[in-house]
């Protein structure tokens, strides 16, 4: 069931409505107009005084569209072409080698297919990292909202921001931002310049942080497989002085951690690093299925929550995941951490992701937010969030503007 919303006020009734920020409502309804939810709540209250058309969707649950905070559409062409090597840097090398063999047309076609998969998987907002800009055109055609992070990789710091702003065309549903790839692939000065630029324009700033033990070794000692990789790629900088710090402390020293910073992965982050992130109000982005594929470890998610951090979810790319499904990521969180309540996992997949990407108008169901809703057939008489997360629905309908 896909319903393109009418511009005129219309009421939709459903057996369950899950606003995310409050408990699910049995016999709920929303009124939409011009792609926005103008009223939501229990049907009996919402329908009072409403004279427009009404549609009963029946035995379904309405949920806000999900948020995938971290992916790389331009790597979709590598689906099933990479296997875990037991070494993070080994996987990176294979990725770089294969990537060099792929033509732009293949990259674009695979990105289009991946985007369709995400639509079918109920994703309504996407954070996409790309270092070619090829996926911007694909995102512009999509019926969902996105932030495109033009990813910078330059450890020697020879480039200028201007070079990465050529496709800077924030338009329609695509917001354009800049992102350093990781602490070990961008020079300290360039990292700070990118942060100044995103701060100036009030944009989210996203980077891979503490993803592998090799990254920690490199920042602490300047040695190890990452140093060798940089040298092989002609990216080693003789002027680089290893900070002798773990990744989060290094980024804090550079002044790039704040509430608009999204730290992707954090598998290696210590308790002290997570405490610091909580003080700065930064946003962790979990990609547990990718972490499992690469064997790099699993982040301390219960501790993040205890510290008041608000983790969001990302699939990462099809080079380290077999699906671009936030439902699958929610199920992974539930399996790794059965102690985390289902309502918290649902927030990770919706409102906390939208907040990380600086979109207040998505990720929940309430008055004045964008109407992009999932319609989930519900065979049971009773709706439980736990069931939804552990048994992702096979069929999803959508109400969208
Ligand atoms: Zn990534």
């Amino acid at each position: 069931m896909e319903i393109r919303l009418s511009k005129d006020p219309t009421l939709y009734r459903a057996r369950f409505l899950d606003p995310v920020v409050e408990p699910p409502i049995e016999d709920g309804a929303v009124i939409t107009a011009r792609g926005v939810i103008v009223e939501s709540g229990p049907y009996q209250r919402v329908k009072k005084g409403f004279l427009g058309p009404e549609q009963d969707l029946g035995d379904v649950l309405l949920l806000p569209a999900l948020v995938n905070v971290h992916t790389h559409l331009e790597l979709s062409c590598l689906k099933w072409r990479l296997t875990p090597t037991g070494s993070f840097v080994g996987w990176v090398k294979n990725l770089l080698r294969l990537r060099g063999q792929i033509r732009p047309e293949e990259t674009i076609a695979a990105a289009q297919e991946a985007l369709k998969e995400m639509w079918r998987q109920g994703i309504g907002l996407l954070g996409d990292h790309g270092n070619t800009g090829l996926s911007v055109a694909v995102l512009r055609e999509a019926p969902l909202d996105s932030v495109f992070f033009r990813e910078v990789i330059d450890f020697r710091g020879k480039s200028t921001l201007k070079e990465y702003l050529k496709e800077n065309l924030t338009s329609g549903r695509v917001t354009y931002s800049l992102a350093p790839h990781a602490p070990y692939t961008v020079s300290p000065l360039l990292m700070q310049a990118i942060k100044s630029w995103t701060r100036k324009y009030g944009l989210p700033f996203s980077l891979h942080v503490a993803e592998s033990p090799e990254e920690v070794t490199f920042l602490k000692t300047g040695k190890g497989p990452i140093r060798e990789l940089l040298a092989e790629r002609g990216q080693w900088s003789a002027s680089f002085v290893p900070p002798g710090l773990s990744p989060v402390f290094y980024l804090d020293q550079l002044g790039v951690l704040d509430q608009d910073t999204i730290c992707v992965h954090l598998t290696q982050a210590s308790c002290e690093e997570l405490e610091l992130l909580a003080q700065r109000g930064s946003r962790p982005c979990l990609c547990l299925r990718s972490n499992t594929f690469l064997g790099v470890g699993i982040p301390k998610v219960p501790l993040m929550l205890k510290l008041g951090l608000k983790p969001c979810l990302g699939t990462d790319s099809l080079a380290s995941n077999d699906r671009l499904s936030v439902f699958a990521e929610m199920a992974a969180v539930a399996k790794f951490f059965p102690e985390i309540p289902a309502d918290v996992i649902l927030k990770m997949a919706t409102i906390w992701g939208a907040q990380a990407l600086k979109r207040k108008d998505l990720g929940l169901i309430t008055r004045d937010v964008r109407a992009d809703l999932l319609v989930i057939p519900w065979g049971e008489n009773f709706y439980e969030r736990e069931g939804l997360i552990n048994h992702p629905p096979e069929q999803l309908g959508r109400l969208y503007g």
Side-chain angles (χ1 to χ4, degrees), residues 70-72 129 151 208 211 264-265 316-317:
H70 184 77
T71 191
H72 305 250
H129 274 232
E151 195 177 76
H208 302 84
E211 182 176 4
V264 183
H265 297 303
D316 219 330
S317 77

Side-chain angles (χ1 to χ4, degrees), residues 20-277:
V20 173
V21 286
E22 53 183 284
I25 298 164
E26 190 161 2
D27 194 13
V30 292
I31 298 173
T32 68
R34 294 175 306 282
V36 172
I37 294 173
V38 293
E39 192 57 85
S40 76
Y43 171 72
Q44 295 300 337
R45 180 175 63 73
V46 170
K47 76 160 192 178
K48 250 183 215 160
F50 180 69
L51 302 171
E54 194 178 314
Q55 187 172 346
D56 190 345
L57 301 169
D59 200 15
V60 299
L61 157 72
L62 286 182
L63 192 72
L66 306 182
V67 183
N68 183 359
V69 177
H70 184 77
T71 191
H72 305 250
L73 276 178
E74 66 184 23
L75 299 181
S76 304
C77 47
L78 298 178
K79 186 176 183 179
W80 300 118
R81 294 174 74 170
L82 284 158
T83 48
T85 62
S87 140
F88 176 72
V89 171
W91 170 81
V92 172
K93 283 182 183 174
N94 286 342
L95 186 152
L96 293 169
R97 182 177 48 76
L98 277 174
R99 215 181 155 182
Q101 302 165 3
I102 289 167
R103 290 174 293 123
E105 309 86 82
E106 288 177 78
T107 301
I108 291 170
Q112 285 167 333
E113 203 44 53
L115 210 48
K116 281 185 202 158
E117 182 194 349
M118 283 197 262
W119 176 260
R120 287 193 297 269
Q121 290 291 332
I123 290 164
L125 173 62
L126 180 66
D128 181 42
H129 274 232
N131 44 41
T132 63
L134 284 175
S135 52
V136 182
V138 179
L139 288 168
R140 267 197 210 110
E141 301 293 313
L144 46 80
D145 292 70
S146 57
V147 177
F148 177 73
F149 292 102
R150 177 64 167 88
E151 195 177 76
V152 175
I153 296 184
D154 179 6
F155 193 67
R156 294 186 306 159
K158 298 283 182 197
S159 52
T160 60
L161 293 196
K162 232 185 192 175
E163 295 167 38
Y164 304 101
L165 293 169
K166 286 179 199 144
E167 316 95 359
N168 182 9
L169 296 165
T170 288
S171 68
R173 302 181 82 160
V174 185
T175 302
Y176 191 97
S177 190
L178 291 181
H181 168 260
Y184 57 90
T185 48
V186 176
S187 76
L189 279 177
L190 199 48
M191 176 89 72
Q192 288 170 318
I194 296 167
K195 184 64 192 179
S196 299
W197 186 85
T198 59
R199 259 192 197 127
K200 184 174 167 190
Y201 294 100
L203 292 164
F205 174 88
S206 167
L207 78 170
H208 302 84
V209 186
E211 182 176 4
S212 67
E214 290 95 323
E215 175 182 341
V216 179
T217 303
F218 176 70
L219 292 175
K220 284 194 170 169
T221 67
K223 293 179 182 156
I226 286 185
R227 159 90 185 244
E228 289 158 24
L229 178 67
L230 289 170
E232 265 176 56
R233 308 272 313 162
Q235 275 287 314
W236 173 247
S237 166
S239 63
F240 178 71
V241 180
L245 296 168
S246 44
V248 172
F249 283 102
Y250 171 56
L251 293 175
D252 195 52
Q253 192 183 59
L254 296 181
V256 301
L257 296 180
D258 60 24
Q259 69 283 356
D260 293 337
T261 301
I262 301 169
C263 296
V264 183
H265 297 303
L266 295 171
T267 62
Q268 305 298 312
S270 64
C271 301
E272 293 73 23
E273 287 180 286
L274 294 180
E275 276 168 17
L276 180 59
L277 286 178

Side-chain angles (χ1 to χ4, degrees), residues 307-349:
L307 292 168
L309 285 159
K310 293 178 175 169
C312 50
L313 302 181
T315 57
D316 219 330
S317 77
L318 288 172
S320 61
N321 201 340
D322 64 337
R323 305 182 68 188
L324 300 174
S325 163
V326 171
F327 275 110
E329 298 299 327
M330 279 199 279
V333 177
K335 284 193 179 84
F336 275 110
F337 306 105
E339 67 271 39
I340 300 179
D343 63 316
V344 173
I345 299 177
L346 194 59
K347 282 181 185 161
M348 293 180 188

